[in-house]
Amino acid sequence: MKKKKSLPGVIYIVICFLFLYLPIFVTMFFSFNSSKSLTKFTGFSLMWYQELFADAEIMSAVYVSITIALLSTVISTILGTATAIGLSKNKKVIKELIININNIPIMNPDIVTAIGLMILFSSLKIEKGYMTMLLAHISFCTPYVITSVYPKVRSLNPNLANAAMDLGATPWQALYKVILPMIKDGIFAGVLLAFTMSFDDFVISYFVTGNGVKNISIIVYNMTKRTNPTINALSTIVILVIMVLLVIANVVPTVMKKRRKSAAQAQKEAKELA
């Protein structure tokens, strides 16, 4: 017998969703406001989107955010996946030691990591700018990738790669034909997490940047110091991009799985008819 949902529980869930998503909808709604007011809607207009795309500083920040997020995601995914696979081949003591060391940047407050990286770059006399921001993003994204990929690697049968090489595969073929396909879910989760962490970062980016290099988070922070509805337009675009990526990430694998299932079913029926 199905349990009926209690009214207080439903109300609590609705309040939680309103608390989480109502500010997002308000931001998107006022991005189409025809006036500078952030509280009173005076009419529909796309003027803030026009100003957004006409602002060279904001477009430069968008370019910096996207390129750094993509580069740091790719590099940290390669480093994190290689580290996770390598950990599975080490002794238990070394595994636990490296995993504990890997957890330190994740548990560290961002401000501590930011100050540490700032001091490191200053002591090495590295000029702050695009490259220091990229290196910083790679450094804090890689531990998250390792954390996402390692459980998948640990659950693999250690004899699979050996069996593939016994059947004539080279170590590289065993890696990308056997191991990587079986841990792709963990890698995909690591990619999404690394991209999100990099694209969204403010504290670390603020401390390690220089020479006028700014990402979206820094631009948004600067916009909050004055009334500028362009921030609503920028936030709306970022929200829509994230929503599209989430839809693609969830829908595409399901569609591909259904197509493979249909193709397998069609092959089976063809064999039965033959």
Side-chain angles (χ1 to χ4, degrees):
M1 198 173 171
K2 292 183 178 179
K3 293 182 179 179
K4 293 182 180 180
K5 293 181 179 179
S6 62
L7 184 60
V10 174
I11 294 173
Y12 173 74
I13 293 171
V14 171
I15 291 173
C16 287
F17 274 96
L18 285 174
F19 182 77
L20 291 171
Y21 294 107
L22 188 59
I24 295 175
F25 288 122
V26 169
T27 299
M28 296 175 71
F29 179 73
F30 277 97
S31 69
F32 299 102
N33 196 4
S34 59
S35 69
K36 284 189 174 184
S37 175
L38 299 177
T39 56
K40 184 179 179 181
F41 191 82
T42 57
F44 181 86
S45 175
L46 296 174
M47 61 182 294
W48 303 118
Y49 289 91
Q50 293 172 353
E51 287 196 14
L52 173 66
F53 289 109
D55 194 320
E57 186 181 18
I58 294 177
M59 289 296 100
S60 175
V62 171
Y63 171 79
V64 169
S65 289
I66 292 174
T67 54
I68 283 186
L70 289 174
L71 288 172
S72 62
T73 298
V74 171
I75 296 171
S76 63
T77 300
I78 294 172
L79 292 175
T81 303
T83 303
I85 294 172
L87 278 176
S88 65
K89 305 297 181 182
N90 282 307
K91 295 179 180 179
K92 186 178 179 181
V93 177
I94 297 175
K95 286 181 188 178
E96 292 180 355
L97 177 63
I98 295 177
I99 289 297
N100 288 328
I101 293 173
N102 182 71
N103 289 336
I104 293 174
I106 297 174
M107 298 174 67
N108 243 1
D110 283 349
I111 187 68
V112 176
T113 304
I115 293 171
L117 288 169
M118 181 186 67
I119 293 172
L120 174 65
F121 294 139
S122 298
S123 61
L124 294 176
K125 300 188 186 315
I126 300 175
E127 188 177 4
K128 294 176 186 175
Y130 187 92
M131 188 55 63
T132 54
M133 189 185 290
L134 176 60
L135 292 173
H137 282 228
I138 293 170
S139 69
F140 73 74
C141 285
T142 302
Y144 289 95
V145 176
I146 295 173
T147 303
S148 299
V149 177
Y150 181 65
K152 289 289 182 181
V153 176
R154 192 173 56 181
S155 65
L156 289 179
N157 187 335
N159 296 319
L160 286 174
N162 294 331
M165 287 187 283
D166 288 341
L167 293 172
T170 63
W172 282 108
Q173 288 175 329
L175 175 65
Y176 69 79
K177 287 187 176 181
V178 178
I179 296 175
L180 292 182
M182 298 190 74
I183 62 172
K184 63 182 180 181
D185 291 339
I187 295 173
F188 187 64
V191 167
L192 289 178
L193 191 57
F195 184 85
T196 304
M197 294 292 296
S198 176
F199 193 80
D200 183 56
D201 180 71
F202 166 71
V203 176
I204 296 175
S205 300
Y206 189 79
F207 275 79
V208 301
T209 191
N211 293 328
V213 177
K214 302 173 184 177
N215 61 5
I216 292 177
S217 299
I218 296 174
I219 286 291
V220 170
Y221 170 74
N222 292 336
M223 283 181 175
T224 58
K225 297 177 182 179
R226 61 188 185 277
T227 303
N228 190 347
T230 309
I231 190 174
N232 291 337
L234 179 60
S235 301
T236 300
I237 292 174
V238 172
I239 291 166
L240 291 176
V241 169
I242 292 171
M243 288 175 63
V244 169
L245 290 175
L246 286 174
V247 169
I248 292 172
N250 287 280
V251 172
V252 171
T254 304
V255 172
M256 294 297 292
K257 188 176 180 180
K258 287 182 177 179
R259 285 184 179 180
R260 286 195 296 266
K261 190 175 180 180
S262 300
Q265 185 68 25
Q267 289 178 358
K268 185 178 179 182
E269 290 176 356
K271 287 180 181 179
E272 290 176 354
L273 292 172

